[in-house]
Amino acid sequence: MDGRDLVHSLRFFGTVRGLRAARSAWRRHRTDAVGLPVRGPERARVPGPVTEAEPLPGGGIVRFARSELRIMVAAGGAVFWGWDGARPEPSYALAGDAPEPDTRAGLEPDKDGGWRVVSERVRVEVSRHGAIEVRTPGGVVLRRDLPPRWWEPAQGGPARWVQRSEVPADARFFGLGGRAAGPRLPDGTYRLWNTDPKGSFAPGDDPLYITMPVQMVVSDAGTHLAFHDNSWDGRVTLREGEEGAGSGHDRPGTSEVRMDGGPLRCWVVAGTPARVLGGWAQLTGAPALPPSWALGPQHARWGFGSERTVRQIVAGYRDRGLPLSAVHLDIDHYDAHQMFTVDQQHFPDLPGLAKDLREDGVRLVSIVDPAVKAEPGNAVYDSGSAAGAFVRDANGREVQGVVWPGDCVYPDFTDPLVRQWWGDLYEERLAQGFSGVWHDMNEPVAFTPFGDMTLPRSARHALEGRGGDHREAHNVYGLAMAQAGYEALRRLRPDERPFLFSRSGWAGMQRYGGTWSGDVSSSWPGLRASLGLVLGLGLCGVPYSGPDVGGFDGSPSPELYLRWFQLGAYLPLFRTHSAIDAGRREPWEFGPDVLAHVRTALLERERLRPYFVTLAHLARTTGAPYVRPVWWGAPEDRVLRDCEDEFLLGDALLVAPVLDRGTDRRAVRLPRGRWYDTATGVAYDGPGQVLVDAPLSRIPVLARAGAVLPVQGGDGVELEVWAPAAGRRGGGLVVRDVGDGWAKAKLERYASRLEGGRVVVERITNAGRVKTEVQARVRGQA
């Protein structure tokens, strides 16, 4: 950073806050200089040749001259391996205990002095020098991990390591958490360190708020997910392969994972995309089920300013016939930005506001940051300090950083007692009338004019009693905070499903809620990045997410705002939001034409609300994201693997948003089958590419022939069926809304077919596959 960057940072934070941030950064540097061990000379090590093996249920231990490998195929088909004694636990990613081994599989000798484990769904081969191959049951290679390499400090301490892997030449990489480049990850290096990018971001900015060592790899050979269960700082370098022309050799795709410390252990789940994410959900936990109202449109702004303004905006939605489910209050509603307080001057009756809005069907959602103002007399600080709840340095002093309230301390969410203490504070939020919480700034952020805006790496954490420092705790900090909030909401309001979403997190964060894009740039590239983020997070097991509609900073043009709104209407979390000094995001601020088109998008979202309810329940039971890449049902289609500007919403709908300025017609890539333009009823047959009109009033949305989906009708939920193609059948799954509690929902199955030119829809029951004809609204039939 040069002098101009430093001046810009000081101006951004304000003079006083900027000087405090500079002082805090200097403190952090001194703390790490004292608290972190010097690595000094290092010794390099590789496994060496195999010496012996010990069979165990599901796999066994293969010993090499300088390391040992534990390998196991779990009962569900997932494969685990860990080097140097690493086991599946302890792990922040896993939901509960590690899965049991598949007792039908075991370690057995293989060719050339190697070993193998053969199971029903996967075959794993270990070479005599420590390379690991994951193959399909038929023997096709999905992934080959080369022997790893470690660098160990001669004076002792954590070893850093590198793991290089090869995948088929035609493979494509997805995942790694929330990335601005995507959903298909281009060649390059991606950092694994949750980061506030210091302002808005656009494609190419890396890293962002949620990084995960989770790769989804799709090739002709099959689909697999690889997860390196290690929360330390690291980097992943990806390079797509190249198929040889004529008699030339293929160049495989490569992945190189480098970690600064921590265990070298990996999980691999292979199969169809649906089976892969189902297995991933079994490992890391079922996605939290949001309350039904959280599937509707939501509105936020940093800088509402007062209760009066909030009432005016909600009235603006109501008076214009615009649906609205929730309003989110940012940090400006707190007293001097201190968490769990209220600015009584501008919000004199927050419970009354919440009550009035709820009677109109609108919930209040509160922002919650982890930073606590370090000031005696602040009740939260006094309580937490007495309980020893805050992160400390190696000398036992509370670590401080500068955030919105000024000098702040940070709860250690890796301590179960601290999670309990922090969760009890949410009782105040519920008493104020809030129906959900939104976690922000929890990478965690400590303002600084240079370097990473976070805590000293030497800061001490409990790590569930094991002890350690911020190098290991940083990436799981937001995940542990989400756990604290979610468990508190369940405890304090047991009859309602919690609503929580978090800016930062890690593998397994879906157990506690969802996320959003963070401060995405108000630009056309920012709009494109929004879609890539949602798709990429879904492939990492986080199905509930969405962007700040309109972007966070700046003032979007009416066209950009409208196209962003139309995209958001088909994403799980549908929320407008903007910075305090950015343009307003109320739909009527962009002129009467935009308002009319926004109303159309909002009403269609409300019409599809029963479908979103169904997708939410299916995500919880199967791990499948609401928003899926177009190759979801046909990963063998190479053209679809490279398609990044459209998506499937469940199985029934294909959405092709407009992502470029001045576009009124766009190409749409179709998977196989017949697809109907939902606006015109025109039918197209895939696979292939078609040109579809995309006027300002709408974006192209196509329905799969034969699809049966629930929609909101005049008298409640009704079924909508798109006519099957001749000689083909269709169907759909429906889950009825059971409210925002914990009542068990029932899954309904429907089938559709053509019979004598008439579309017939039947409900299929489990009683001997009994079919009962039901009424449905038929579309797509002349």
Side-chain angles (χ1 to χ4, degrees):
M1 171 173 285
D2 59 24
R4 287 176 297 177
D5 293 329
L6 177 58
V7 170
H8 174 77
S9 296
L10 293 177
R11 287 176 178 173
F12 177 78
F13 294 127
T15 303
V16 174
R17 185 177 289 124
L19 292 174
R20 285 177 174 172
R23 183 189 64 193
S24 175
W26 175 247
R27 277 201 312 259
R28 186 183 70 177
H29 175 75
R30 285 192 307 168
T31 299
D32 280 347
V34 173
L36 283 179
V38 178
R39 293 193 67 89
E42 295 179 319
R43 293 189 295 261
R45 173 169 61 89
V46 295
V50 67
T51 58
E52 61 177 348
E54 176 185 350
L56 296 170
I61 299 175
V62 183
R63 295 184 176 89
F64 298 84
R66 289 176 290 278
S67 186
E68 72 173 33
L69 171 71
R70 176 179 293 270
I71 192 161
M72 177 194 73
V73 177
V79 181
F80 170 82
W81 62 81
W83 288 92
D84 284 357
R87 294 172 176 263
E89 298 171 304
S91 171
Y92 277 96
L94 299 188
D97 297 333
E100 294 295 321
D102 182 353
T103 56
R104 299 170 298 175
L107 197 63
E108 56 188 53
D110 197 12
K111 60 183 182 297
D112 298 328
W115 294 83
R116 69 185 179 191
V117 182
V118 179
S119 71
E120 180 182 0
R121 296 184 180 178
V122 71
R123 174 176 165 179
V124 186
E125 298 180 358
V126 181
S127 79
R128 60 178 177 168
H129 290 290
I132 304 171
E133 288 187 350
V134 179
R135 295 173 176 261
T136 67
V140 180
V141 177
L142 295 173
R143 185 180 193 90
R144 183 172 189 265
D145 279 15
L146 303 177
R149 188 177 182 89
W150 295 267
W151 288 267
E152 298 169 329
Q155 303 302 318
R160 57 190 181 93
W161 52 263
V162 61
Q163 174 69 74
R164 296 184 176 93
S165 308
E166 296 178 347
V167 296
D170 64 286
R172 298 290 182 260
F173 295 100
F174 301 85
L176 294 184
R179 301 288 170 172
R184 170 187 167 191
L185 297 173
D187 291 358
T189 298
Y190 302 87
R191 191 178 177 195
L192 298 169
W193 189 254
N194 292 351
T195 303
D196 182 339
K198 297 185 181 181
S200 61
F201 68 88
D205 291 332
D206 189 85
L208 299 179
Y209 314 96
I210 300 174
T211 67
M212 298 183 194
V214 179
Q215 301 176 26
M216 175 79 88
V217 184
V218 185
S219 68
D220 288 354
T223 300
H224 75 272
L225 178 149
F227 167 53
H228 289 87
D229 193 352
N230 182 314
S231 61
W232 285 61
D233 192 1
R235 284 171 171 78
V236 179
T237 300
L238 303 177
R239 183 185 181 191
E240 291 182 354
E242 184 177 356
E243 292 181 296
S247 59
H249 294 289
D250 289 350
R251 176 174 59 80
T254 59
S255 164
E256 180 183 273
V257 179
R258 287 182 176 267
M259 289 292 186
D260 288 349
L264 202 178
R265 56 185 179 179
C266 183
W267 288 92
V268 171
V269 185
T272 65
R275 176 169 283 182
V276 166
L277 282 183
W280 179 239
Q282 287 182 340
L283 277 177
T284 60
L289 184 64
S292 301
W293 59 262
L295 298 171
Q298 305 174 49
H299 187 83
R301 191 207 304 163
W302 177 15
F304 279 130
S306 69
E307 174 183 325
R308 179 182 177 186
T309 301
V310 173
R311 291 184 183 274
Q312 289 175 341
I313 288 173
V314 173
Y317 272 87
R318 182 183 61 244
D319 294 345
R320 293 171 175 85
L322 305 176
L324 182 65
S325 290
V327 171
H328 299 216
L329 299 189
D330 211 316
I331 55 174
D332 51 293
H333 85 278
Y334 284 112
D335 181 12
H337 297 157
Q338 296 184 66
M339 296 298 107
F340 306 107
T341 65
V342 176
D343 180 349
Q344 294 293 336
Q345 178 181 353
H346 295 98
F347 292 87
D349 184 17
L350 202 51
L353 172 64
K355 179 176 179 293
D356 292 344
L357 295 188
R358 189 156 185 159
E359 290 175 352
D360 283 341
V362 179
R363 267 72 167 187
L364 273 185
V365 175
S366 172
I367 192 173
V368 174
D369 290 354
V372 175
K373 185 174 179 63
E375 181 178 75
N378 172 9
V380 177
Y381 174 72
D382 291 344
S383 170
S385 187
F390 301 120
V391 176
R392 296 177 180 269
D393 64 19
N395 294 317
R397 296 184 297 257
E398 292 175 349
V399 171
Q400 292 191 7
V402 176
V403 200
W404 302 118
D407 290 328
C408 293
V409 290
Y410 299 80
D412 182 7
F413 295 115
T414 70
D415 185 335
L417 294 179
V418 175
R419 291 198 293 269
Q420 172 80 32
W421 166 78
W422 180 263
D424 289 342
L425 299 174
Y426 286 61
E427 187 171 8
E428 181 273 341
R429 294 287 86 188
L430 299 182
Q432 296 292 348
F434 289 105
S435 297
V437 293
W438 143 39
H439 288 174
D440 203 351
M441 308 289 287
N442 59 339
E443 288 70 36
V445 169
F447 292 150
T448 176
F450 51 85
D452 287 335
M453 297 201 301
T454 190
L455 305 186
R457 291 175 176 246
S458 60
R460 306 302 297 172
H461 291 265
L463 290 167
E464 314 307 314
R466 294 181 288 112
D469 59 40
H470 199 67
R471 293 174 296 175
E472 181 178 359
H474 175 84
N475 281 336
V476 297
Y477 189 87
L479 169 71
M481 182 185 180
Q483 180 182 357
Y486 181 85
E487 291 176 348
L489 294 175
R490 286 210 62 174
R491 182 172 67 250
L492 296 169
R493 193 168 285 174
D495 295 332
E496 295 185 15
R497 299 198 299 272
F499 176 58
L500 182 150
F501 63 106
S502 173
R503 190 170 81 171
S504 184
W506 202 61
M509 65 180 293
Q510 74 278 356
R511 299 191 296 265
Y512 312 117
T515 185
W516 87 106
S517 65
D519 301 344
V520 63
S521 169
S522 295
S523 63
W524 290 95
L527 170 60
R528 186 175 292 271
S530 295
L531 176 57
L533 273 165
V534 174
L535 283 165
L537 286 164
L539 294 175
C540 292
V542 186
Y544 184 84
S545 68
D548 284 344
V549 168
F552 181 71
D553 70 327
S555 299
S557 68
E559 181 189 6
L560 174 59
Y561 174 82
L562 175 59
R563 293 308 197 187
W564 214 314
F565 207 96
Q566 290 168 335
L567 167 62
Y570 293 94
L571 300 179
L573 174 58
F574 181 22
R575 181 182 86 143
T576 59
H577 187 222
S578 58
I580 193 168
D581 55 352
R584 296 167 65 105
R585 296 292 186 269
E586 291 78 48
W588 51 89
E589 296 291 335
F590 295 87
D593 290 340
V594 169
L595 176 60
H597 301 330
V598 161
R599 182 182 293 109
T600 299
L602 280 170
L603 293 177
E604 180 63 8
R605 170 64 175 237
E606 286 299 283
R607 193 181 78 90
L608 290 174
R609 180 87 75 93
Y611 185 50
F612 275 92
V613 169
T614 294
L615 295 178
H617 282 273
L618 292 177
R620 179 161 181 80
T621 55
T622 70
Y626 311 37
V627 170
R628 309 165 186 177
V630 289
W631 49 258
W632 178 261
E636 71 282 356
D637 189 326
R638 296 189 178 188
V639 175
L640 293 181
R641 293 206 294 261
D642 294 340
C643 182
E644 301 182 277
D645 61 353
E646 57 189 72
F647 60 91
L648 297 174
L649 181 61
D651 285 331
L653 299 177
L654 187 154
V655 182
V658 172
L659 305 177
D660 297 300
R661 179 190 293 110
T663 300
D664 60 5
R665 188 171 172 82
R666 62 152 292 172
V668 178
R669 176 66 59 179
L670 300 177
R672 61 177 176 267
R674 175 164 295 176
W675 297 85
Y676 295 97
D677 186 322
T678 57
T680 65
V682 174
Y684 303 97
D685 289 321
Q689 181 173 282
V690 296
L691 288 175
V692 181
D693 289 336
L696 281 175
S697 59
R698 57 182 169 85
I699 58 175
V701 179
L702 294 92
R704 189 189 301 271
V708 179
L709 64 158
V711 297
Q712 190 66 40
D715 298 323
V717 177
E718 64 181 24
L719 298 180
E720 181 173 272
V721 57
W722 289 86
R728 304 298 297 270
R729 294 174 178 265
L733 304 174
V734 175
V735 179
R736 307 278 177 173
D737 191 348
V738 292
D740 294 333
W742 298 98
K744 186 176 181 179
K746 294 182 179 179
L747 179 68
E748 301 172 5
R749 299 177 183 274
Y750 294 91
S752 64
R753 56 188 170 85
L754 278 177
E755 185 177 276
R758 183 174 71 95
V759 176
V760 176
V761 177
E762 297 170 315
R763 181 174 179 181
I764 304 173
T765 68
N766 292 327
R769 305 282 294 177
V770 175
K771 298 180 179 180
T772 304
E773 190 168 338
V774 297
Q775 294 295 317
R777 179 189 176 200
V778 177
R779 300 187 65 184
Q781 190 176 41

